[in-house]
Every structure is written in structure tokens, then in C-alpha cells.
Amino acid sequence: MRSLWSYLFSTPSQLARRIDVMRTSEASLMEYAFRFGKQNQKDDPGNYQFHFFDTKIPKSSITALFPSSQCLMLSKHNDVMCEEEDANNFIMHGVKVQKKLGDDDLSASRLVSKSPLVLLHGYANGALYFYRNLIGLADHFTEIFSLDLLGWGLSSRPPFELQNKSVETAESFFVESLEQWRQKHGIEKMILAGHSMGGYISIAYCEKYPQHVERLVLISPVGVPHVDEEQENDMITKRMKDVSIVWKMTIYVFKHLFENDVTPGAFLRALPESRAKAMVSGYVKRRLPAITCEQEQQSLIDYLYTNSILPGSGEYALNRILKPWAFAHKPTVYRIPNLKVPHITFIYGENDWMDLNGGLDVQRICEDDNNRSIGGEVASRNPSIDVLVVKNAGHLLMLENWEEFNTAILDAAFGKDYVMKCLQPSTPRPLRLHHSKFEQKDIVESNAATTTTSSKIASLDS
């Protein structure tokens, strides 16, 4: 039914026009990217090179899909439907950015690691959601890749018709496509950073392919806390207690739509174009007041709107992975400590709706396990965990406070000593938190309310 809807209401000419709009929005956002992140005034766009790419990956590698699955859209060469020459491949789209280096222009970071930074976007976003960060970070990494996950952006959008409805199969759709992309680019190790749903997917990737991840960066990741059914029901009861009958009806309708595969994108596609555009415009203006330039704001609106109305694909993983209240069917709080990745950093916004106590819980579990000994020997060696908080930012921290976010990424990738030595003293620094500064009751209460006040965070900066 979802595929039929996409075909009926997305003719080839409409798809071609929308893909052109998406490409134009990408190019526009990259122009704005050069306004951010310059470390000195001598830098100019000519010092950086970037290009958009489309990487073919074999359909046969995505075993989560039924073998007969066909693309609803290709990014390459303005194709909008699968042609015979691409019948055996999907496309992974993205942008690659790197700074041009002279023989004597080798920053200290390249002495720390030569691994590229690979960025994964969150739900209903795309590769260019990191446009404010790419140039500033390119001064420190050999290469940066920001990807459209399979089923999103200008990557192929096969119907999300999986072999079964399990969480593992939904995860596999994204994990195996990312692994195929890595192989095609010959990347042995990467610093993998995922935002929100992209963070969740990064964790699933590291469970299967830890040997290819040097460090993992979880940017306000969804699905970390574990809340049992009784706690979840109590939380819902408390939230519903003081809301109006209108809000109660709205929440009931939302839950019904969520459980029946009606995604935000599907809802927008069912609306008249003017109404759908107005909703996306209102979202951007409400959620991102940090973007004050009207032209930049409009480029982002066009990007997000077009991303949402292109044929639905990866968006339908939502209720396979998450429950209606954004808790995961398979919480990662107990999965992350078992990852064979040496260092993991959580980065949250100070006013994030994603509960940072998930990250602190993981930190506590890993440190407790590492400190436990059996017969004088360490019982296990779990990942080293850092938790950073970007001030004056919420869930969209990479856009709301791009400069401090960039510092947090460098801290996560190269360590706090690198930040101290290689950045200007005036460069904004994120807060560093430790679970020992939180009482256990604070964590429990915060998990119940899914919020932590910024004043509490600031007082616990270590």
C-alpha cells in the first residue's frame, strides 16, 4: 500500500522536479557552509574541496528486503526510477569534504588519527543537516563524509518491505547498506558519529562491525534509556493528568497513527502542497531560531520539505525500532557496554529533549564493570565513556550552537588534550559530565520525566 501510494502520487516528472529542488537546496546549504567554521580570516573556500557522490551498493547485500524490491528513486544522473543498468544496485548519496593541504600543512590531528569522520543524520534529516559543521571540522580530519542513509535524502528509496517486522531486520537495512558503502570507499577504520536515530544505527553497526570503528560519537542518540512497562505507564499517566481534552485526543490520534505506519512524511505527503510547506516552515522557524538569515532558513526549509515528500522508505523503520514515546524496543543502555569499540562519547544539548541520563547510565555501567575484579584481575574491559553537553542548544545542537558542537566532536575524536593544545583559548568548550556527580535518585527522576534542567547540568560540570 505504501509503495502504491508513492507511485500514484509521485509521477516521474514530479520526482525529477523534486530531486532537482533537493540538489539545489544541497548546493545552497554548502554555500552557507563556508560562512561557518573558519579558524582564521585567511581561509577561503578555495582552501577546501567538496563534492557530492553517489555510491552504488549491491541490492543483494540488503538481505532485510524481499529480493524483488525495486527502487522508487535513484539520485544518479537525474534518474527517478530504476533503469536496467542499475537493476542490481542501490545508490548511497552523500557529500565529501576535505581541506587542501600543502607539504608542510599537516595539522596535529593527523598525528592523532588518519581515520575519516563519517556523519549519520537523524530521523527525517539528511547529510546536509551538518552543513554548519563541515568546513570547521575539515581543518582537523583527513576526510569528512556526511551520508544520506539508505531510504533517505537522495539515496535510493526502496519500499520498506522487509522479510519480517523484527527490530534486528529493520536495523540490518541500515547497517548492511552502511557496511557496503564503507567497503566501496576502501575505509579500513572510521570515526563514526550519528545524530538521534543515526546514533542508534551507529550502535547497531558497531555491534556487527566494531573492527571498522576507531571511535564512536553518539550525538543526542535515541533509544538509550530502559524503561519497563510499569514505569512507562506511570510516565504517560502523569503526563496525561494535567493536559486538556484536546491534547489527550491529539496524543491518542498520534499513537494510533504511529502504530499504523503513518509517519510524519506520509502525513505531509497527504496534505496539499501549500499546507505541507507551511508546516515544515513553521517547524524550522520554531525549532531553529539560531538561524536568523532568511535565505539560509529558506534553503533549509526547502531541503527538509523535499526530503519528506520524496517517496517514503527509511522513515517506516520508526515503529519497528521505537515505541510511541520514543523509547526503544531494544534499549541500547545495556548494548553499548558490550561494544568492542575502545572509546565512546555522548554529546547532548543543554536543553535537549533526549534524556542525557541514558549516557550517564552507560558511563556508570562501564566504569563499574571495569572496576570489578575477579581474583585480582579485571573482569571485563568495557569502552571508555565521556558525556559532553553543548550549551545554548537543544536536540538540533549541530545547528543551534555549531561552534561548541564542533569542539565537542574534536574532543570526542581526538581527546580533551587535543582541544586544549590545538584550539584557541576563546573557542567555546562543551561541559563534561560524570555520573558520580549525579545522585541515583536524580537519574531515576529524570528518566521518569525525560528531562534534566540546564541549571542542574551547569552545576555538575566536571
Side-chain angles (χ1 to χ4, degrees):
M1 178 60 71
R2 295 195 300 252
S3 302
L4 178 61
W5 182 272
S6 296
Y7 278 118
L8 287 176
F9 294 97
S10 298
T11 65
S13 60
Q14 286 177 318
L15 286 176
R17 178 174 59 84
R18 289 167 179 171
I19 288 172
D20 285 342
V21 172
M22 191 77 168
R23 287 195 176 117
T24 300
S25 300
E26 281 190 326
S28 177
L29 290 175
M30 277 307 302
E31 289 180 10
Y32 285 107
F34 288 104
R35 301 185 183 185
F36 301 94
K38 296 179 182 179
Q39 288 208 325
N40 61 72
Q41 296 303 312
K42 295 180 180 179
D43 278 350
D44 64 69
N47 292 336
Y48 302 87
Q49 56 187 14
F50 77 91
H51 71 273
F52 297 107
F53 59 81
D54 292 314
T55 304
K56 287 185 178 183
I57 62 171
K59 287 184 182 180
S60 58
S61 65
I62 315 302
T63 57
L65 287 170
F66 283 110
S68 60
S69 292
Q70 298 295 311
C71 300
L72 292 180
M73 187 193 84
L74 282 178
S75 168
K76 188 181 177 187
H77 305 314
N78 284 317
D79 296 335
V80 295
M81 304 295 286
C82 282
E83 296 184 355
E84 185 175 352
E85 66 179 79
D86 289 308
N88 297 319
N89 296 293
F90 290 136
I91 292 294
M92 288 277 284
H93 180 76
V95 60
K96 177 182 176 180
V97 181
Q98 59 188 146
K99 188 174 184 179
K100 297 177 182 178
L101 298 175
D103 293 337
D104 57 350
D105 185 16
L106 191 67
S107 74
S109 64
R110 287 160 174 76
L111 303 177
V112 178
S113 173
K114 294 184 178 180
S115 298
L117 174 66
V118 176
L119 296 165
L120 304 183
H121 60 82
Y123 188 83
N125 297 156
L128 266 292
Y129 227 58
F130 293 97
Y131 72 94
R132 284 188 165 197
N133 316 108
L134 295 173
I135 299 303
L137 292 175
D139 289 330
H140 303 270
F141 292 90
T142 54
E143 297 172 314
I144 298 175
F145 296 91
S146 189
L147 307 182
D148 284 342
L149 290 163
L150 185 64
W152 288 107
L154 288 175
S155 290
S156 295
R157 293 179 175 233
F160 203 73
E161 297 169 352
L162 306 187
Q163 299 278 3
N164 57 61
K165 293 187 176 183
S166 70
V167 175
E168 293 79 8
T169 301
E171 292 176 355
S172 173
F173 175 86
F174 300 106
V175 168
E176 297 307 328
S177 55
L178 176 59
E179 170 58 12
Q180 288 299 311
W181 175 86
R182 181 202 66 79
Q183 292 181 25
K184 290 285 186 176
H185 284 261
I187 298 171
E188 183 57 32
K189 275 190 178 291
M190 57 185 160
I191 296 170
L192 182 60
H195 173 241
S196 197
M197 183 68 85
Y200 180 97
I201 292 166
S202 298
I203 294 165
Y205 178 87
C206 288
E207 286 181 317
K208 188 165 185 181
Y209 300 106
Q211 69 272 26
H212 299 303
V213 178
E214 183 175 305
R215 288 191 173 213
L216 176 62
V217 188
L218 301 174
I219 306 163
S220 189
V222 73
V224 179
H226 173 260
V227 177
D228 61 34
E229 187 174 350
E230 183 179 350
Q231 288 176 310
E232 188 173 349
N233 289 336
D234 287 345
M235 182 195 72
I236 294 171
T237 300
K238 289 178 182 178
R239 288 189 170 186
M240 297 288 277
K241 183 179 179 181
D242 297 322
V243 300
S244 68
I245 186 65
V246 173
W247 269 108
K248 287 180 180 178
M249 289 293 294
T250 301
I251 292 169
Y252 173 80
V253 171
F254 165 79
K255 186 173 183 291
H256 178 76
L257 294 176
F258 182 96
E259 292 171 345
N260 286 276
D261 259 3
V262 180
T263 64
F267 183 75
L268 286 175
R269 291 189 291 272
L271 294 176
E273 184 172 330
S274 59
R275 178 59 179 154
K277 280 186 176 180
M279 288 188 71
V280 175
S281 177
Y283 169 84
V284 171
K285 293 175 181 178
R286 184 175 65 255
R287 291 290 299 275
L288 290 167
I291 300 177
T292 56
C293 171
E294 290 186 7
Q295 292 83 2
E296 179 188 356
Q297 190 180 78
Q298 189 59 52
S299 294
L300 186 58
I301 290 169
D302 291 342
Y303 181 75
L304 290 179
Y305 169 72
T306 309
N307 190 20
S308 295
I309 64 168
L310 286 170
S313 178
E315 67 192 69
Y316 291 107
L318 187 62
N319 66 6
R320 308 287 180 89
I321 290 174
L322 300 179
K323 302 175 185 179
W325 292 92
F327 292 110
H329 290 294
K330 287 185 63 178
T332 59
V333 63
Y334 301 120
R335 297 167 64 182
I336 297 171
N338 295 318
L339 296 181
K340 304 304 179 185
V341 177
H343 195 99
I344 300 171
T345 300
F346 290 83
I347 304 175
Y348 294 94
E350 181 182 21
N351 305 308
D352 211 319
W353 67 267
M354 206 68 73
D355 186 9
L356 65 79
N357 285 287
L360 292 171
D361 274 344
V362 173
Q363 185 185 63
R364 175 178 53 79
I365 291 168
C366 288
E367 290 186 3
D368 286 351
D369 284 351
N370 286 339
N371 291 333
R372 188 180 299 116
S373 63
I374 299 176
E377 296 185 2
V378 175
S380 62
R381 178 51 59 189
N382 292 329
S384 172
I385 307 292
D386 284 327
V387 180
L388 305 179
V389 174
V390 174
K391 299 182 291 296
N392 302 314
H395 187 58
L396 306 179
L397 54 169
M398 73 287 288
L399 295 174
E400 295 169 292
N401 189 349
W402 62 270
E403 192 170 10
E404 192 167 300
F405 173 83
N406 283 4
T407 306
I409 290 289
L410 297 177
D411 189 309
F414 307 124
K416 61 182 179 181
D417 289 344
Y418 175 83
V419 170
M420 293 293 292
K421 293 177 182 177
C422 299
L423 299 188
Q424 296 292 330
S426 59
T427 304
R429 263 65 165 177
L431 304 175
R432 184 180 301 276
L433 303 188
H434 192 268
H435 69 89
S436 62
K437 300 294 183 69
F438 282 79
E439 296 181 23
Q440 191 62 31
K441 68 179 181 66
D442 293 327
I443 295 177
V444 173
E445 289 172 358
S446 183
N447 277 334
T450 64
T451 184
T452 303
T453 63
S454 57
S455 60
K456 178 72 173 176
I457 293 172
S459 69
L460 296 173
D461 176 25
S462 60

